Amino acid sequence: MLAIRTDLASSAGLRRRAKKEPNRRAALRMLAIANALEGMSQADAARVVGIERQSLCDAINRFNAEGATGLYGHPKGHRRPVLSEGEEAALIARILRGPDPERRSVQMGYSA
């Protein structure tokens, strides 16, 4: 059983915040933590709000580390851009400028 920090919020405070929360997942996490703070087992607290026990454990760990902001979804891992912003801007400008007819001949149509 994970210990939940009580210095950050009370169960009543978490319930009030969950009522006003537009992010459904964060609200469910708040309600599950509030249930656990009121003495429910973590398995029951998770089941009552419809989340997995492991999800509640993860939410408790994030709540203990980051407070209520830890209950919001974190961005998923995305591939880092290959080009920097400056390189990307230069590439876009080059594409929009088009080919340089002085350096290469531009063929129009198809050749057989």
Side-chain angles (χ1 to χ4, degrees), residues 13 18 36-38 45 48 50 55 64 66 71-72 76-77 80 86 89-90 109:
L37 281 171
E38 291 174 350
V48 166
S55 296
N64 287 340
E66 303 171 36
L71 300 179
Y72 295 89
K76 304 292 183 217
R80 290 192 176 121

Side-chain angles (χ1 to χ4, degrees), residues 43-112:
D44 289 340
R47 185 178 40 76
V48 166
V49 299
I51 64 174
E52 295 290 326
R53 186 193 59 80
Q54 185 60 51
S55 296
L56 174 58
C57 291
D58 294 342
I60 290 171
N61 286 329
R62 289 195 313 264
F63 178 74
N64 287 340
E66 303 171 36
T69 58
L71 300 179
Y72 295 89
H74 296 291
K76 304 292 183 217
H78 295 286
R79 188 175 133 190
R80 290 192 176 121
V82 176
L83 302 176
S84 69
E85 287 183 29
E87 291 170 330
E88 186 175 341
L91 177 62
I92 290 170
R94 175 67 185 104
I95 291 169
L96 293 176
R97 209 172 32 245
D100 184 7
E102 301 273 330
R103 292 183 65 199
R104 294 203 161 155
S105 65
V106 179
Q107 294 181 344
M108 301 301 278
Y110 296 97
S111 61

Side-chain angles (χ1 to χ4, degrees), residues 14 18 21-32 68 71-73:
L14 283 171
E21 180 57 52
N23 183 321
R24 183 175 178 272
R25 288 182 181 210
L28 290 176
R29 292 174 187 136
M30 289 176 200
L31 290 173
L71 300 179
Y72 295 89

